[in-house]
Amino acid sequence: MPMTDDDHLVALRRDLHRHPEPAWREFRTTARVVEELDRIGVEEVHVGRDALADARLSVPDADDLAAWRTRAREAGADADLLEAMDGGWTGCVAVLEQGEGPTVGLRVDIDGLPREESTDSDHVPAREGFRSETGAMHACGHDAHATIGVGVLEAVTRSDFSGTLKVFFQPAEEVIGGGRAVAESGHLDDVDYLYAVHVGLDYPTGEVVAGVGDFLAVTQFHAMFTGEPAHAGAAPEAGHNAVQAMATAVTDLYGIPRHGDGDSRINAGRVGGGTASNIVPEEAFLQGEARGATTEIRDFVFDRARQAMEGAAFAHGCEVDVDVEGEAPSADSDDELVDVVHAAASDHPAVSKPTRRGSLGGSEDATYLMQHVQDRGGHATYVGVGTDHPGGHHTATFDVDETSIGIGVDVLSEAIVETSRSPP
Amino acid sequence: MPMTDDDHLVALRRDLHRHPEPAWREFRTTARVVEELDRIGVEEVHVGRDALADARLSVPDADDLAAWRTRAREAGADADLLEAMDGGWTGCVAVLEQGEGPTVGLRVDIDGLPREESTDSDHVPAREGFRSETGAMHACGHDAHATIGVGVLEAVTRSDFSGTLKVFFQPAEEVIGGGRAVAESGHLDDVDYLYAVHVGLDYPTGEVVAGVGDFLAVTQFHAMFTGEPAHAGAAPEAGHNAVQAMATAVTDLYGIPRHGDGDSRINAGRVGGGTASNIVPEEAFLQGEARGATTEIRDFVFDRARQAMEGAAFAHGCEVDVDVEGEAPSADSDDELVDVVHAAASDHPAVSKPTRRGSLGGSEDATYLMQHVQDRGGHATYVGVGTDHPGGHHTATFDVDETSIGIGVDVLSEAIVETSRSPP
Amino acid sequence: MPMTDDDHLVALRRDLHRHPEPAWREFRTTARVVEELDRIGVEEVHVGRDALADARLSVPDADDLAAWRTRAREAGADADLLEAMDGGWTGCVAVLEQGEGPTVGLRVDIDGLPREESTDSDHVPAREGFRSETGAMHACGHDAHATIGVGVLEAVTRSDFSGTLKVFFQPAEEVIGGGRAVAESGHLDDVDYLYAVHVGLDYPTGEVVAGVGDFLAVTQFHAMFTGEPAHAGAAPEAGHNAVQAMATAVTDLYGIPRHGDGDSRINAGRVGGGTASNIVPEEAFLQGEARGATTEIRDFVFDRARQAMEGAAFAHGCEVDVDVEGEAPSADSDDELVDVVHAAASDHPAVSKPTRRGSLGGSEDATYLMQHVQDRGGHATYVGVGTDHPGGHHTATFDVDETSIGIGVDVLSEAIVETSRSPP
Amino acid sequence: MPMTDDDHLVALRRDLHRHPEPAWREFRTTARVVEELDRIGVEEVHVGRDALADARLSVPDADDLAAWRTRAREAGADADLLEAMDGGWTGCVAVLEQGEGPTVGLRVDIDGLPREESTDSDHVPAREGFRSETGAMHACGHDAHATIGVGVLEAVTRSDFSGTLKVFFQPAEEVIGGGRAVAESGHLDDVDYLYAVHVGLDYPTGEVVAGVGDFLAVTQFHAMFTGEPAHAGAAPEAGHNAVQAMATAVTDLYGIPRHGDGDSRINAGRVGGGTASNIVPEEAFLQGEARGATTEIRDFVFDRARQAMEGAAFAHGCEVDVDVEGEAPSADSDDELVDVVHAAASDHPAVSKPTRRGSLGGSEDATYLMQHVQDRGGHATYVGVGTDHPGGHHTATFDVDETSIGIGVDVLSEAIVETSRSPP
């Protein structure tokens, strides 16, 4: 079993942690990863439009992108790479050809979250001086994921792996906006075996889950209701009340029927509208999501949701525009790869609890990549690498136990090598 | 002042009271009125399609009509008259030409209500033996109205009235379904002055209100929501829930904005739907009404109501059909005739409280006739003749103080004669 | 394998079919079953309050019961038995003691449905002269179930069964109102193995499902909303609108959140309220049900449902009373008995498709009995006996293929005997 | 008729316009007014807690107040006055005792609005260099009102007025938060005649409305709904959804019945809640208002609104806190003073259209002061002084025609003097 260069990886992780960038703004992060790929000697790296299909969701506006690009430049990112990523075409695909054999993929996501990081002295990044400098935060461990991606690549170059390894450094997972663009990029088309990885998920350091599954398919949407304003005292009849339309839509959304074939979910997670007590509201918005145990159930819920929102708007003389902001299909991990990872984890001295199966409860757009490979006859699994994390995912005190980075690199690189030795 | 033959009129009223017929089934009532017109010697009487335009609302189905027609036949109604009224063309117009002069109209309504009459011994009709024999009930005094119509005609024949008097015995007021058909019959076109009359309205015997006004315009509607049934346990997603659609429509209806130009009203007065706890409901109905201080405000409310119901149906994947069941415009009484009635009432020894103006709170389709006359430059007023009534209008113990019949006949005939003497 | 006396059983089934009685009115049905038990020579039969705990739900009012009891008397039911069942204490428990051994139970339900039966000549009961004479209908096969109960008892008396067999002829399954009263009667307390049976369920003749499971727990409820009436035109502010409260409750009910631990259901299956277009409605009702994959989930949904209805009533100044009309817990069949039934079915020449497991989708109060036995360490299974049925369950043309009665008797009696031979 | 020193007043108005301060932050405005009172020689001036009762609504928090106080200090406001106003006790009462006679009051409001002012070159304040420097805006003419208050005081000192004149420079009208605190300050208790004034209101320069009336009573409220957050995918059942509660409250609010005694209004003008698509929302707010043609109708609507919001919260397992943010009773102008103002306006050469009566459509907390005087037997009127305003009230391009300031000063001072000459 190859042992990773932990010091270097920890330093890399901390550097990424200090420069978190939210979805589609991962300019500096991508540039930093490419720097590592150069160091390792990976010859084929796809950046920008070469790495992504034209299916990105929730891309921010030009001003927003420009500000982050400027920030990345100031933080030392390579100008040519920034040029290639102009317009938010972030992330990259690293391809390592190393003899005959299967094509194996590894997907890691790289984006941060738009939230403040804790300044508490108990919070290791604050105490040790690698707290975020960008206003955003790596509050879900994607800094560790990118680092694991680099570490696995390096480990595989030193191994007897025979075949092709592609590592997908995916942007914009947090808004479930990047998965489809990577899946349809073409680079997945010949992948026989795909691994995806996530640290934490409430599993402690020492536990490795070989196959996380039961991902709910999800569609996240934003609906804008537009009516007519009016003075609420003098002429309420002149108005078409967008807040009434939105409120009716909320109740109608939750009224979408349950599905006899499996779990479904609906949520109106964020709403707002109107300007003042005495004005009939002209505008209101509703941001929500539909989920399903299968992609079909998710589609059923979302179709009904559109209908519900359009009916509610019509009932109040308003218009509604519904935009999809993110989506991911359902997926499950394949036994073939679960076996491989379970064996690798069981052999690792620092893995105290190798687990075959787990479930996430939520959604993830790695499912786009998994489904893409599975639809072509390949296999995929989503690996959970336990890490002690003081705060919960997405909170200000989230942090990873850095020993889990080495565990992740070891288990995944071992599984990948094993996949080339005895393709399952 | 002509004094009425009270005994005859009281007997007539009691006979009509014993045979109440709901909207569009006034077969025996009409025949009984025509009998009186013959007795009085009125030469021109229009019955059936001669008396009504093709604008009737809420006409019952053929079986229902046939049953009441048979009942009327058995109760002695003239066969030829019944033939003329076939299909529910009930009511009649009596025309009395008596020299040169203005054309004056009097409108009385003649229908009963579909409710049981009290059997309590305190209830005079029960005690005195003229309680309803039909299952319906004259619970709003239209028996007295028809009687007043006959009494006024007779009184005018004996007076120095010079001109033409038309008495409109209107069917289907209770469903506000007959007013428009009378208004557009052609018989109103040359009416210069129109009187309408209602007994009671919470005014006691001895009070006469010369001009009732501020009638709210009204539209009554019936909405049928149709979806798809499904087993609520096994496959709720297969259903389109008509009860949900109807319930959403109820809340949307009450959410129609107030109007800055005057009073508006909305009501979902009767609803129902579904078949069993475990079935996603396929059908539901909603019966309601929209009102407004003006016809325009009523139309505003009803237009929004349609929109609300269509939106609610769409939101739940259902269809909705909306039928208008009754309607009446807004109207007000004219000062010119209010003066005439007020003077006549003030002169009457049994009128202790002559009042110029009152308001109804509710709706009435006499407004169709009033508006028709006013639109052509004529004048109209709606006269309230007080009567002590033990139970409220539309209750099982409603009854009229029969002395008010004579008062009504006297005041109205005196006003009509005065109108011909000094056209206002 | 014992072969059943098919002719006698078919005659019995047809006799029961001709006299269907809805929930808690199974006077004649019970009497007829007891007659058969006498014929067979069963010595211990519990009828009336001896057979049921005081936990009946949805018992009709006294007049309703009296009418059906009179009808049963006229149809020849024994007077003493009717006396014992007075007040709707219908159904019976037959106990057969036949040597040492385990106590085995068989539960069959016996009630009909309140619906008209088809008169179509394609409908066998109509053509063959055993169509319902009561206005109700055996549209779910409970006539066959009662017959199977009798047949199994008789078969077991002729077998080498050693132990005690109890057959529960349960009333009021269709309103899920009888299961708990039987479960808590005391007669289940010593049952080691319980079989329940249902014909049809969309399985054709020749298929036998050894263990139907995944029953959703259910609570059926009736909510009565009471407000204040008012004239919708004159004084809407004086009203408290019960239809608005109910409509809000409908939308709030469907808004109860999904449950992360498994399936949940909510339905407002039947609603109504109000009296007329122009009256603010004083009363409205809502009949519905809550279900869950587990009893806990069902309770979660029903608790939230109460809260939703109380909040909706309060919001509109109304009161609400919520009554439970029926309920059943969730349950699943045990592998131990599934094996036994599957073996018996596999051996039967007329069973072309023995199936181990199936699911119902809906609810059933046999679960009360199953749970009662399982909670005491016993085992239970719910057996589906396929039968070709021209119309769906609960429709006017439902009928059973009578050959399935014999199959049911054979498989169940064989399983019961086998249970005593080798208790699982 | 006294003629005003227009140049000085125009300069004052422009100075106030350049320093608009929203409700309860009128530090610099009050100080500037007091400076003018000193100039005129008004000896009795009440500032801070001497001018206001403890009934202020919508007072901002301490940080907000401190920032505006600092700004005022930097803009030259007197330190002692600022100290007196600490905590947002802004505004002042000027008392002019000038011989025997009645006590006459004049109320002017002085606050600006929290909105940006137009930078368009067509907008006179932008072009002429007195556009707002504070980020807020005098977009409703209160700069002109304060100026008119000063002008009237000065004019009266030069007149033969005999009696006491009190000018109320009221803060916080825009949030209807200051009226009650002024009304209950004690300074109104001996006022026999009260004038209030507003410029614009869509009346052009040259029109003066002697008695604006039919003010709707209003209550503005803020409701905070609090539930329990939960992950919308993994465990929706753990949440209590504050957005659902708020949305239900919105539909319930609009469902409050119309009132038979007069106009009512309800509006949910601004709402919001939730944090992200995938979180069951923990918090939501609803800002709205209830109005009525009478204070009683307003109270009816607001009582029902509380009930609706509490019911909606309960239905979804949430809590709700409702705060009143502003309120004003209904009021009407008295004929006695309408006559006086109408006469003064009719005599003014620049008033081309003196009008007796007008109506506002909206609400105003001058009604607290009017009602306070009227309740003690005094008289009040609310005077509309027309002014050509390019943009509507509360828009970025609102401005006043400065010639209307002189008209307002002239007409009001003449009316005040006349009131002392011949008390009506």
Side-chain angles (χ1 to χ4, degrees), chain C residues 244-323:
Chain C
Q244 264 187 303
M246 180 274 281
T248 301
V250 168
T251 60
D252 286 349
L253 283 176
Y254 286 104
I256 294 171
R258 276 74 171 163
H259 202 293
D261 293 345
D263 278 344
S264 63
R265 297 283 186 273
I266 185 75
N267 195 46
R270 208 166 69 84
V271 305
T275 53
S277 296
N278 61 345
I279 305 295
V280 174
E282 181 179 10
E283 289 192 334
F285 74 91
L286 186 167
Q287 201 173 0
E289 60 172 32
R291 300 193 200 224
T294 65
T295 308
E296 289 68 34
I297 294 175
R298 188 269 322 262
D299 289 347
F300 164 83
V301 177
F302 185 55
D303 288 349
R304 291 278 184 119
R306 277 188 185 279
Q307 198 176 47
M309 293 186 285
E310 285 169 16
F314 185 88
H316 295 281
C318 296
E319 305 279 327
V320 63
D321 284 314
V322 180
D323 291 321

Side-chain angles (χ1 to χ4, degrees), chain A residues 21-93:
Chain A
E21 294 164 314
W24 302 121
R25 293 90 158 181
E26 308 91 337
F27 298 108
R28 199 255 176 203
T29 305
T30 303
R32 186 71 184 78
V33 164
V34 172
E35 206 172 282
E36 290 293 316
L37 300 177
D38 288 346
R39 181 184 60 77
I40 297 167
V42 180
E43 289 175 7
E44 183 180 348
V45 179
H46 301 274
V47 182
R49 288 169 193 259
D50 288 346
L52 297 164
D54 195 7
R56 299 176 302 158
L57 291 171
S58 281
V59 181
D61 63 36
D63 287 352
D64 189 339
L65 289 172
W68 285 90
R69 187 180 154 182
T70 300
R71 220 209 125 276
R73 186 75 195 89
E74 289 165 5
D78 179 82
D80 288 346
L81 283 169
L82 289 178
E83 186 59 34
M85 291 185 274
D86 189 46
W89 297 85
T90 52
C92 62
V93 183

